[in-house]
């Protein structure tokens, strides 16, 4: 560390960070932009960043109704993997994985990407056959993966309950070594700072309340800060996507559900990987601070409340106790929920619409954090060229008319 940095650190420590340079500006909206992104989550910020960086569009705004990263981006359990079954999905998530692998350098911001590996447990013979099939399919797509049996698992994860006497005995797992976690807030902040540096206006507390269109073409958006004109609008609002679609006079095949997560009090390092189980419906990792980060399946009812029900909390805790009896005396500190936008085939929509210049990127359901860079990268291409990239061509709205669905329920499962 240079002498200058040490002095600067000391000065800022004494001044309570008052003199820290802001990481992004807080501009008032212009009257017109060449492109607007609605939603300042990770996907929206990444879309704006790649539009500016890869396609040279600089007159862009991201409009966020609250604060950036305050939606699912700041509420998720940060699991990153790319081991999806079908070619289309595996290639899209693998594109994202490759972007993750260089993201801290690209953004010059440490997103704390940690490739600690992800295990998806199998509890029945059918689970194990599905795991074998998925690992084979992954390898054909250049995605890393291996099948691990219960004996090997109990060596690698000593605290995992691999007893044949448990309610759902663990028979083995798929393992993706390049999978892992990233720091969710840092991802939003890193993309925001890098997009801002390329001239993107990030406007918080700016809710989009309507769309103006003429002759089938988008003209701009009504917002809580006034009307803003733009020939291209990308809607990237996750759990609120159907609300925004309704404002534009469209219907999306999406249901919004609460999805919950929990963190424990911090404890010493005890779990150095990510463990997920579709059968018992829970998954767990340990954060760098020491908290156990626990995730659930969706709450089954539809809703926009960012909370969820006690039944799911109880069910998930029982699942984690079954997998890791050693954690039975750890106290949980916090619980929260987000609103996830689920599609019938557990795959996203990254698509043009019937309104020229209006695009939707949504339907990531319980598992979109892992796709943040890739999702932004393909939406940027789609908006800049008014044409899908080959990586997202299959994820258009047309598939709900043609029936060419890409069923990823198996790989999504309890998801994440
Ligand atoms: C509890 C939980 C755990 C999860 N765990 C994982 C995981 O481990 N791994 C994984 O891959 N995925 C996970 N996910 C899913 C993942 O979080 C999401 O798929 C992803 O973060 C979606 O990103 P986004 O940027 O599209 O959405 P968001 O971050 O939700 O951003 C959308 C933004 O749009 C804004 N908005 C909404 N309406 C308007 C409007 N009218 N005007 C302006 N702005 C508006 C919202 O305020 C919000 O900030 C989890 C989700 C939850 C809730």
């Amino acid at each position: 560390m240079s002498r200058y940095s040490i002095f600067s650190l000391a000065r800022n420590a004494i001044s309570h960070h008052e003199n820290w340079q802001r990481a992004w500006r807080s501009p008032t909206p212009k009257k017109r932009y060449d492109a607007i992104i609605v939603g300042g989550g990770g996907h929206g910020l990444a879309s704006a960043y790649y539009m500016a960086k890869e396609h040279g569009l600089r007159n862009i705004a991201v409009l966020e109704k609250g604060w950036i990263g305050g939606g699912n981006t700041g509420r998720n359990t940060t699991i990153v993997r790319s081991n999806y079954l079908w070619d289309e999905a595996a290639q899209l998530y693998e594109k994202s994985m490759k972007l993750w692998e260089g993201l801290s350098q690209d953004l010059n911001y440490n997103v704390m990407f940690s490739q600690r590996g992800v295990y998806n447990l199998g509890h029945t013979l059918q689970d194990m056959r599905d795991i074998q099939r998925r690992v084979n399919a992954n390898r054909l797509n250049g995605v890393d993966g291996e099948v691990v049996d219960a004996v090997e698992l109990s060596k690698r994860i000593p605290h995992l309950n691999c007893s044949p006497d448990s309610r759902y005995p663990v028979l083995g797992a798929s393992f993706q070594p390049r999978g892992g976690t990233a720091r969710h807030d840092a991802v939003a902040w890193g993309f925001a700072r890098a997009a801002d540096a390329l001239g993107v206006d990030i406007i918080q507390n700016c809710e989009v309340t309507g769309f103006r269109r003429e002759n089938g073409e988008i003209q701009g958006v009504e917002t809580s800060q006034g009307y803003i004109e733009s020939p291209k609008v990308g809607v990237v609002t996750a759990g609120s996507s159907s609300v925004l679609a309704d404002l534009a006079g469209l219907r999306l095949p999406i249901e919004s559900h609460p999805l919950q997560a929990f963190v424990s009090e911090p404890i010493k390092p005890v779990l150095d990987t990510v463990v997920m189980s579709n059968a018992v419906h829970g998954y767990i990792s340990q954060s760098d601070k020491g908290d156990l980060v626990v995730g659930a399946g969706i709450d089954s009812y539809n809703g926009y409340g960012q909370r969820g029900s006690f039944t799911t909390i109880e069910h998930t805790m029982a699942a984690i106790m079954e997998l890791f009896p050693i954690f039975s005396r750890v106290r949980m500190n916090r619980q929260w929920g987000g609103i996830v936008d689920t599609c019938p085939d557990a795959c996203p929509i990254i698509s043009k619409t019937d309104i020229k210049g209006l695009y939707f990127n949504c339907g990531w359901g319980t598992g979109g954090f892992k796709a943040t860079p890739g999702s932004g990268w393909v939406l940027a291409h789609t908006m800049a060229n008014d044409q899908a990239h080959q990586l997202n061509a299959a994820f258009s709205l047309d598939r709900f008319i043609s029936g060419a669905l890409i069923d990823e329920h198996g790989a999504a499962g309890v998801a994440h």
Side-chain angles (χ1 to χ4, degrees), residues 1-297:
M1 190 183 280
S2 73
R3 235 174 31 189
Y4 172 77
S5 325
I6 292 169
F7 284 136
S8 143
L9 258 183
R11 203 174 47 243
N12 279 311
I14 294 164
S15 71
H16 302 289
H17 309 168
E18 280 155 12
N19 301 320
W20 279 25
Q21 207 183 332
R22 284 186 180 272
W24 54 86
R25 296 161 299 128
S26 192
T28 35
K30 296 182 200 161
K31 287 198 165 18
R32 185 190 184 283
Y33 289 95
D34 295 336
I36 284 176
I37 298 288
V38 185
H43 288 222
L45 293 163
S47 306
Y49 170 67
Y50 290 117
M51 247 193 296
K53 182 184 171 220
E54 309 267 330
H55 303 280
L57 284 164
R58 295 292 159 99
N59 186 29
I60 306 175
V62 176
L63 309 181
E64 165 55 49
K65 77 171 175 186
W67 64 95
I68 61 164
N72 292 345
T73 297
R75 293 165 184 269
N76 76 85
T77 45
T78 76
I79 299 175
V80 174
R81 59 188 175 89
S82 60
N83 53 354
Y84 282 71
L85 176 65
W86 299 106
D87 295 352
E88 296 87 344
Q91 283 161 18
L92 180 63
Y93 287 98
E94 181 58 19
K95 167 73 186 173
S96 225
M97 180 67 89
K98 294 217 166 74
L99 290 169
W100 279 116
E101 286 171 333
L103 198 61
S104 292
Q105 288 79 0
D106 183 29
L107 300 178
N108 188 24
Y109 199 99
N110 187 1
V111 299
M112 295 169 73
F113 182 46
S114 159
Q115 291 179 296
R116 60 185 67 181
V118 176
Y119 289 89
N120 290 87
L121 303 181
H123 298 263
T124 63
L125 288 175
Q126 187 58 49
D127 280 354
M128 292 312 295
R129 286 190 192 114
D130 290 342
I131 281 172
Q132 184 74 63
R133 177 184 177 203
R134 186 144 58 88
V135 166
N136 289 343
N138 287 162
R139 287 188 179 166
L140 289 171
N141 270 315
V143 176
D144 57 320
E146 60 173 303
V147 180
V148 183
D149 65 23
V151 177
E152 176 64 18
L153 257 185
S154 57
K155 284 189 208 141
R156 293 191 193 178
I157 314 173
H159 299 304
L160 178 65
N161 178 13
C162 290
S163 157
D165 299 331
S166 64
R167 191 167 52 127
Y168 295 105
V170 174
L171 301 187
S174 70
F175 179 53
Q176 184 177 19
R178 285 161 67 240
T181 58
R183 170 80 197 156
H184 47 13
D185 297 322
V187 173
W189 299 336
F191 272 119
R193 191 179 75 150
D196 175 89
L198 294 174
V200 173
D201 282 358
I202 296 166
I203 301 161
Q204 303 182 73
N205 298 313
C206 183
E207 178 171 1
V208 169
T209 53
F211 297 89
R212 267 196 216 169
R213 55 174 161 161
E214 242 174 64
N215 304 325
E217 291 185 24
I218 200 83
Q219 305 295 314
V221 290
E222 308 284 356
T223 82
S224 52
Q225 297 193 30
Y227 176 67
I228 309 176
E229 194 186 322
S230 182
K232 288 177 194 268
V233 177
V235 181
V236 196
T237 52
S240 303
S241 299
S242 32
V243 177
L244 272 289
D246 192 44
L247 292 176
L250 303 172
R251 262 194 98 189
L252 296 176
I254 279 186
E255 289 190 357
S256 291
H257 290 266
L259 178 67
Q260 305 189 54
F262 325 94
V263 288
S264 75
E265 60 189 340
I267 56 174
K268 286 191 174 168
V270 65
L271 183 64
D272 63 359
T273 188
V274 181
V275 179
M276 310 177 62
S277 167
N278 288 359
V280 298
H281 256 102
Y283 62 91
I284 185 163
S285 66
Q286 187 170 21
S287 79
D288 297 330
K289 280 190 299 184
D291 321 351
L292 297 175
V293 181
V294 174

